[in-house]
Structures are given as C-alpha cells and as structure tokens.
Amino acid sequence: MGNQTPLFSHHCRHFCLRVLVFGWLVLAPFARAESAPDFSVVTNLVQSWVDKNYYSGCGLLAAKDDQIILERCFGNFAPDQVVFIASSGKWLAAATIMTLVDEGKLSLEDHPSKWLPEFKNDPKDQATLRQLLSHTSGYEPYQPADKPVDRYQTLTESVAHLLPLPLKFQPGEHFDYGGLAMQVAGRMAEVAGGKDWETLFQARIAHPLRMTNTHFIPVDAGGGHSPMLGGGARSTLRDYAKFLKMIASDGVFNGKQILSEKSTREMQSDQVRGALVKAGEFVERVRGAKHTSIYGLGEWREEINVQSQAVLISSPSWAGAYPWIDRMCGAYGFFIAHVDGAGVGRDKFSGFYSSPVLALMVRTVLLEKHDSKAKQ
C-alpha cells in the first residue's frame, strides 16, 4: 500500500495539470477579448437625421488599425449603393493629379500655359497647379449667375467656357472655395497624362484600390457631361473607405504604394500659404479654429497640432457625404448620404456643416475606450 501513494499522487497531479491547461486554452481567448466600442451615441444621431427626414437613407463606416469598427446603414441605404458625393470628390481628384506629380509628368509649380497654350498671356496663367488645387488661384469659384452652367461634354469645352472669365483676385491673395479652377487642373492632367480624366482616375486610383463603383462620369443621369473634379463624383460607402485606408497609410494599399508618402504629406500640408481667409469659413464654423492654414490639396485641415501638422483632415460635401482621417486617435471614417428629405428646408439643415460632428464623436468614443482600458 505504501508504494501506491506516490503513483496515485503522480496521476492526480497529471490529471489536474491537464484540466488547468484545457481550461486555460478554452477560457484565455475570452479573457483577452476586448468589448467593442459603444457607438450608440453616434448611430443615434445619424438615425435622428433620417427620422427628421433630412435623408431617406445613409451609411456610416469607421475603421482603426486596419479594422472596421463601425459599419451601419440607415433608412433605405445599402453598403454598395452608389451615391453622388459632390465635394468629397475633390480629395479623389487631387490624389489622381498627385500620381502624375509622383511620376514627374506634372509639377505643382506648373502654370496652365505649359500644357494649355490658350492660357498664354492670360492673367489666369499666373496661377500654379498648386493654387488651382487649393482654392487660392484667384479664379471665380463657380460659374457666375449670368453664365452657362458648367455642363459640357469634355474638360476641353469646360475650360474654353471659363477662359473668358476675369480673375477675381490675384493668385495667392485669397482663399476662395469652389470648383472651376479644378477643371483647369484636370485638363492639365489630361494633357500631361495623355488620357481623358475618367481614364486617368480609374487607372491611377480606382482600379488599384478596387473602387469598382466610383466614377466622375457621367455627371448626371443624362450622361456624357464634362467630369466635375470639384463636385461630380459618385461612390459607395465601402469604395471610399478603401481610399481613406490608402491615405491613412501614407499612400500604401494592401502592400502596394499607390501614392508616394511625400505626395500624401504634401496634400495634407498648408497650401493656403498666407492667403486671406474670410471670417466664418468652414473650419472656423465647425471647429471654432482661428488659424488660416485651413486647406491642403483637395482636403480641409480641420485641426492642426502645435507644429502646424494636420491631425484631422476631411473633404465634406453639401450633399452630406463626409470622409475624414483622424490622426489623433488613428481612425478614419466615411458618412455617405444625399440630402433629399422634405425636412431639410423646414429645419434649414446643412449636411456640409452637420456631418463633421461625426469625426469628433467617433474620436470621443475611442479615447474613452482607451482611457477605460488604461485604468483597468
């Protein structure tokens, strides 16, 4: 009997060890799992916009560390629904042009006449490509009320119709948000790149990023009209999120360099460069910021740090679409919608000024989650 006790103890210890190991393997994943951030305060606000009949439907996506942390559709919306995104296309257009800059086919210091001889000796030729993309060119921001709406068949026609317009300001003097100057930038890109705008965009941005449902043409249901770089793109919730992923990763998408890091940083840097910014401009209105370095190339610099580096960048649209990248919390997001409800006029609702609140709400949730985790 005395010899049985050690054998029994050995088996007991072995059995207990197996139980402990098994329990660890089963329970450890649950112990390590983190609860998902609670975005209900964000989704409740968006749902209220639908309930108030500002939008018949819309979608919201947010991602952090290459992982989608929020994706939800509201009303009659679907994740792959194609929607007119208006000025959110400015970011796409600038990125397309910067791929040509990366290849040395264009320079941000080029003047229109280098590629478009019709601008030679024209006062508007004083503007550079950099100024055309940063709303500091001095051009009229939109077609004047007594002129034809910019709905032509090609960028060539579009540029021909804006060519007679006088300079509104001297290039570099004023920041004047609009879209006409981008038409000239787009035509310069067509000549330098040897292809029409839609082909350039598809080959350089949309196809590499697998944005299969994003286009600049047709501009409207009639089709065939000149691509409006500053306000004519269409996209989907998931398509645009791929673009944001690329920009947030300094130009890399799925291991491939689509846009150089230098160009992504150039787009995010101050391109206003001392031009006069009128009071109440977008950044001041939505963020209360008084700094004047509010714009890069095709994107707003909503927030900057003490080194004047952009930490919150975006490209909002009047239709409500709002893409953003928030480097403060390492997240990006996209709200896609088209203001079309009967409640818009009644409540004087503006998607352009309302959508940006989503970026800070998502940031707050993520930072509170981080703080809560740190205290545990």
Side-chain angles (χ1 to χ4, degrees), residues 154-267:
T154 64
L155 278 179
T156 302
E157 287 184 79
S158 177
V159 170
H161 281 81
L162 68 84
L163 193 61
L165 299 178
L167 272 176
K168 185 177 180 182
F169 306 109
Q170 286 300 305
E173 283 188 352
H174 289 253
F175 174 84
D176 203 15
Y177 185 71
L180 281 192
M182 294 192 77
Q183 298 294 81
V184 177
R187 181 58 188 148
M188 291 168 67
E190 286 186 332
V191 176
K195 295 179 175 64
D196 67 87
W197 176 258
E198 178 71 4
T199 301
L200 288 174
F201 169 68
Q202 290 297 323
R204 293 170 173 275
I205 296 295
H207 181 71
L209 297 182
R210 303 172 190 170
M211 299 170 69
T212 55
N213 294 304
T214 303
H215 301 273
F216 276 85
I217 57 173
V219 172
D220 58 30
H225 292 139
S226 164
M228 297 192 299
L229 275 67
R234 284 175 168 79
S235 191
T236 70
L237 182 66
R238 292 172 177 170
D239 263 17
Y240 207 111
K242 295 172 184 176
F243 174 76
L244 293 172
K245 177 181 178 180
M246 181 270 287
I247 297 293
S249 300
D250 294 326
V252 176
F253 181 78
N254 290 354
K256 184 179 179 180
Q257 195 81 45
I258 308 300
L259 188 63
S260 72
E261 181 177 352
K262 179 181 178 182
S263 284
T264 61
R265 297 299 180 184
E266 188 71 35
M267 290 171 65

Side-chain angles (χ1 to χ4, degrees), residues 49 55 85-88 90 142 175 177-178 230 280-283 285-287 295 300 302 314-322 335 339 348-357:
W49 291 341
Y55 306 109
I85 61 171
S87 287
S88 295
K90 287 181 171 69
Y142 307 102
F175 174 84
Y177 185 71
E281 192 55 87
F282 170 76
V283 171
R285 182 163 174 177
V286 300
R287 301 297 176 220
Y295 206 83
W300 292 91
E302 289 193 31
S314 69
S315 188
S317 82
W318 65 263
Y322 176 71
F335 175 66
V339 175
K348 298 181 179 179
F349 177 80
S350 168
F352 189 77
Y353 293 113
S354 297
S355 296
V357 71

Side-chain angles (χ1 to χ4, degrees), residues 45-126:
L45 174 63
V46 176
Q47 183 62 54
S48 75
W49 291 341
V50 176
D51 294 341
K52 292 175 182 177
N53 203 15
Y54 300 154
Y55 306 109
S56 58
C58 50
L60 176 62
L61 182 150
K64 178 177 172 59
D65 301 327
D66 264 349
Q67 298 294 321
I68 294 176
I69 54 176
L70 168 64
E71 184 178 18
R72 180 171 167 182
C73 291
F74 304 79
N76 61 3
F77 208 78
D80 293 319
Q81 186 168 336
V82 179
V83 175
F84 174 67
I85 61 171
S87 287
S88 295
K90 287 181 171 69
W91 211 345
L92 304 177
T96 303
I97 290 172
M98 291 305 288
T99 64
L100 290 164
V101 174
D102 278 342
E103 295 175 4
K105 294 181 178 179
L106 278 174
S107 166
L108 288 173
E109 308 313 319
D110 284 350
H111 295 268
S113 64
K114 179 175 180 178
W115 305 100
L116 311 176
E118 60 268 37
F119 278 84
K120 189 175 182 179
N121 299 321
D122 188 293
K124 291 187 292 299
D125 192 45
Q126 299 172 56

